[in-house]
């Protein structure tokens, strides 16, 4: 079977983009911030977690710990740098209730559903086990993949544009939690995975959309009046009645 290059490109890029978007969705590194926290006052809640652990931190340097706070769509984490002390929890509070976060969650979930459905349709449309692909089915799958990529791009755009204001009543005051000091928030690794995956989905789905265009059929070199399609890769069979048979005797 001769599979069009657009189908091959789409069937490779679309699943890869879906995997990257899914990876971004389940990881808690959409934004991150660092701050130094003293062991007295605000840092007292870390003492219980550090008791009984060999952190390798000198008593002099323990007065100012470097904390790394990360937030995702469904999980947040807090980690002490250069140590194994890390705690993660489901998103809660103002961040969870922020309508922009909830919008990003809904768009990403819808994108994953449409992307998976589109890839299934594309695989059925390509039909590697037959000679001719189902072009309409493959192109429909490509349309769903493009829609999934656009939804992911929208979710990522909304989150990135409002990254420093999500779950914060006053952006100048940082995260509105008295237990944490001011954090300087910035984009994290999961956002980049999401952007790359969404772009691959749009690219792969657009390639599958070219499946609507049927290949132009050429003609058989020996029989100009008989059409032949490149997907068949051979001329139509010539019946025996069209040829003359001669008996030769020695």
């Amino acid at each position: 079977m001769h599979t069009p290059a657009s189908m091959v490109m789409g069937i490779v890029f679309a699943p890869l983009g879906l995997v990257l978007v899914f990876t971004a969705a389940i990881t808690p590194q959409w934004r991150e911030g660092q701050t130094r926290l003293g062991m007295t006052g605000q840092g007292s809640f870390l003492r219980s977690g550090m008791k009984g652990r060999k952190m390798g931190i000198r008593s002099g340097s323990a007065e100012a710990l470097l904390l790394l706070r990360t937030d995702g769509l469904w999980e947040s984490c807090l980690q002490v740098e250069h140590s194994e002390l890390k705690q993660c929890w489901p998103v809660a509070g103002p961040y969870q209730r922020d309508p922009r976060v909830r919008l990003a969650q809904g768009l990403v979930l819808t994108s994953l559903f449409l992307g998976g459905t589109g890839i299934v349709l594309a695989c059925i449309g390509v039909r590697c086990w037959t000679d001719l692909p189902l072009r309409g089915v493959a192109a429909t799958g490509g349309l769903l993949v493009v829609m999934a990529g656009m939804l992911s791009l929208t979710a990522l755009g909304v989150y990135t544009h409002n990254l420093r204001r999500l779950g914060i009543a006053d952006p100048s005051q940082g995260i509105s939690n008295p237990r944490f000091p001011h954090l300087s928030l910035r984009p994290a690794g999961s956002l980049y995975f999401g952007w790359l995956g969404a772009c691959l989905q749009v690219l792969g789905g657009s390639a599958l959309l070219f499946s609507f265009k049927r290949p132009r059929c050429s003609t058989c070199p020996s029989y100009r009046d008989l059409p032949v399609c490149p997907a068949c890769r051979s001329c139509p069979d010539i019946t025996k009645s069209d040829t003359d048979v001669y008996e030769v005797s020695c």
Side-chain angles (χ1 to χ4, degrees):
M1 167 188 156
H2 177 67
T3 303
S6 60
M7 284 189 177
V8 175
M9 180 179 176
I11 211 66
V12 171
F13 284 172
L16 180 59
L18 180 65
V19 170
L20 290 175
V21 172
F22 178 76
T23 302
I26 63 176
T27 51
Q29 285 83 30
W30 282 58
R31 69 177 185 180
E32 64 182 6
Q34 291 183 348
T35 187
R36 291 195 176 276
L37 187 65
M39 290 299 294
T40 59
Q42 290 177 328
S44 59
F45 74 99
L46 290 175
R47 292 176 180 174
S48 59
M50 297 181 62
K51 289 181 179 180
R53 297 179 183 227
K54 295 181 179 180
M55 304 296 292
I57 302 177
R58 297 179 181 178
S59 59
S61 62
E63 296 300 326
L65 296 177
L66 184 60
L67 296 181
L68 176 64
R69 167 73 181 266
T70 58
D71 293 310
L73 292 182
W74 285 276
E75 190 178 37
S76 297
C77 293
L78 184 66
Q79 182 179 10
V80 178
E81 192 177 41
H82 306 307
S83 72
E84 297 180 356
L85 182 59
K86 181 177 181 180
Q87 184 178 5
C88 296
W89 61 91
V91 293
Y95 179 79
Q96 181 191 25
R97 296 189 297 269
D98 195 298
R100 293 160 294 192
V101 175
R102 301 178 70 88
L103 175 62
Q105 291 174 341
L107 290 176
V108 169
L109 288 177
T110 307
S111 170
L112 292 174
F113 174 76
L114 289 179
T117 304
I119 291 173
V120 171
L121 289 178
C123 292
I124 296 175
V126 171
R127 290 186 58 163
C128 296
W129 59 90
T130 60
D131 290 333
L132 297 176
L134 300 177
R135 298 183 177 276
V137 177
T140 303
L143 179 61
L144 293 180
V145 173
V146 170
M147 293 174 60
M150 296 302 295
L151 289 177
S152 297
L153 289 175
T154 303
L156 291 163
V158 170
Y159 193 97
T160 304
H161 181 70
N162 302 282
L163 184 140
R164 293 176 177 83
R165 300 188 294 269
L166 296 175
I168 301 174
D170 185 2
S172 62
Q173 298 299 323
I175 294 180
S176 55
N177 190 331
R179 301 177 67 185
F180 298 104
H182 174 75
L183 294 178
S184 179
L185 299 172
R186 61 181 181 273
S190 296
L191 275 182
Y192 302 112
F193 279 105
W195 283 110
L196 179 59
C199 292
L200 288 177
Q201 281 186 316
V202 174
L203 184 61
S206 300
L208 287 170
L209 282 176
F210 283 101
S211 302
F212 276 124
K213 183 179 180 181
R214 296 182 178 276
R216 185 177 59 183
C217 295
S218 59
T219 56
C220 185
S222 301
Y223 297 87
R224 300 289 182 180
D225 56 332
L226 297 179
V228 56
C229 182
C232 301
R233 305 186 67 179
S234 62
C235 294
D237 295 334
I238 307 301
T239 58
K240 292 184 179 180
S241 59
D242 295 333
T243 60
D244 296 330
V245 179
Y246 298 93
E247 182 179 355
V248 179
S249 59
C250 298

